[in-house]
Amino acid sequence: MSKSIEELKSLSTQIRRDILRMVHAVNSGHPGGSLGCTEYFVALYGEILNYKLPFTMEGKNEDLFFLSNGHISPVFYSTLARFGFFPVAELATFRKLNSRLQGHPTTHEGLPGIRVASGSLGQGLSVGLGAAQGKKLDKDDALIYTLHGDGELQEGQVWEAFMYAAAKKVDNIISTIDYNGRQIDGDTDDVLSLGDLHAKLEAFGWLVLEEKNGNDLEAVIAILNKAKSETGKGKPVAILLHTEMGSGVDFMVGSHAWHGKAPNDEQLDAAFKQLYLEAPADY
């Protein structure tokens, strides 16, 4: 059953609570980028993606999603649980021994929703392109979605994949860049500037869309729908989605410091007061 925009916004707050609770419990994980991408995941699974449950690895006649920057696994796991892929209570096992919810997603434990191991940056677009071409060979009209960090674009393999996608006219893929301007060591402009990313992707033969309000759920839904309307026209589609690392928690926004740092007890309490829900379904 589809959810209203207000229900999806409430779910975004719940997922942010999940993210913080998960990394706090083990004092490990990546809350910053996870919080920044919450609207993207809620839009994708709540409104855009055509998928079926129970989960099957093949996903025939379904849209497929591949997370390339796998370190933001908390938002991915919470989203999958909240949309029924596996029990919400399993979020409590995040990063613990023998858990299916590893720090970076893996496939060997069969966690529903995970189709590829990721976290070694730069590989997700190549995987997505293989899946997209497989769909074409199978006469399957479903789409492939991928998500990438902007710092991840400093990996050379990504640019080989950008070049390949355009050359082979892989036009059933929508690749989104989480364009928050920050990575583990600082601002991307200081570590290794991406320059005019919009112009670079266009020069590589992609159709490029851009959304400045990547933490506005309705704006994210709109840009993803726009991207869908541009598929099948001979070009791969990219979305530059401007987000704020740490979005939703005021003391986490504006810095790369929370890329891979867990909140302590006091910080978790302060964050939860900002992410208040009348009846939170915390696990």
Side-chain angles (χ1 to χ4, degrees):
M1 182 181 295
S2 62
K3 298 180 184 293
S4 70
I5 192 68
E6 291 307 317
E7 288 174 318
L8 292 176
K9 287 179 178 179
S10 180
L11 184 58
S12 298
T13 299
Q14 181 63 67
I15 287 174
R16 285 191 163 94
R17 292 175 67 97
D18 291 345
I19 291 164
L20 294 168
R21 186 180 292 275
M22 289 162 70
V23 298
H24 168 266
V26 290
N27 194 32
S28 178
H30 296 78
S34 294
L35 293 168
C37 284
T38 299
E39 281 76 18
Y40 172 83
F41 277 88
V42 171
L44 191 68
Y45 281 87
E47 190 72 23
I48 301 297
L49 205 64
N50 174 30
Y51 63 89
K52 301 171 187 173
L53 293 177
F55 172 81
T56 63
M57 183 62 82
E58 183 182 16
K60 189 173 183 179
N61 298 315
E62 296 180 54
D63 296 337
L64 308 183
F65 170 69
F66 297 99
L67 174 65
S68 189
N69 51 327
H71 57 274
I72 64 167
S73 62
V75 66
F76 194 13
Y77 293 150
S78 174
T79 301
L80 291 174
R82 295 292 173 181
F83 281 98
F85 282 77
F86 58 84
V88 170
E90 193 169 352
L91 297 178
T93 71
F94 175 68
R95 278 185 175 249
K96 294 181 179 179
L97 292 176
N98 301 315
S99 172
R100 297 197 295 177
L101 278 63
Q102 295 296 305
H104 295 79
T106 63
T107 56
H108 64 278
E109 294 290 352
L111 184 66
I114 307 299
R115 287 191 169 91
V116 63
S118 62
S120 183
L121 296 176
Q123 299 177 0
L125 183 55
S126 299
V127 174
L129 290 171
Q133 290 192 303
K135 291 282 190 188
K136 284 179 175 287
L137 289 171
D138 288 341
K139 303 294 191 292
D140 183 339
D141 293 331
L143 298 175
I144 305 299
Y145 294 81
T146 65
L147 179 65
H148 311 265
D150 49 2
E152 181 185 6
L153 302 192
Q154 295 160 357
E155 296 277 1
Q157 182 176 340
V158 181
W159 293 93
E160 294 179 34
F162 282 142
M163 184 168 59
Y164 180 92
K168 301 302 180 182
K169 295 181 171 56
V170 185
D171 58 2
N172 57 337
I173 190 167
I174 298 172
S175 295
T176 299
I177 313 301
D178 176 24
Y179 208 7
N180 61 31
R182 297 183 176 89
Q183 59 192 101
I184 191 168
D185 291 326
D187 289 356
T188 53
D189 282 345
D190 296 330
V191 177
L192 185 61
S193 176
L194 297 170
D196 189 341
L197 184 56
H198 195 291
K200 285 181 179 179
L201 292 176
E202 285 188 337
F204 268 65
W206 284 61
L207 175 69
V208 185
L209 305 175
E210 195 156 3
E211 176 51 61
K212 297 290 187 180
N213 298 311
N215 294 117
D216 180 310
L217 182 59
E218 289 163 294
V220 178
I221 291 171
I223 197 70
L224 283 167
N225 275 321
K226 171 65 174 172
K228 283 178 65 174
S229 74
E230 296 293 346
T231 58
K233 298 180 180 180
K235 284 189 174 186
V237 181
I239 300 173
L240 301 183
L241 190 67
H242 294 258
T243 69
E244 283 287 350
M245 183 176 282
S247 177
V249 181
D250 58 8
F251 60 84
M252 292 186 176
V253 172
S255 169
H256 70 283
W258 293 94
H259 173 94
K261 183 175 74 171
N264 60 30
D265 292 350
E266 293 75 19
Q267 290 164 334
L268 180 67
D269 183 63
F272 271 14
K273 288 176 180 175
Q274 296 176 47
L275 299 170
Y276 176 76
L277 285 174
E278 190 68 35
D282 293 334
Y283 56 86

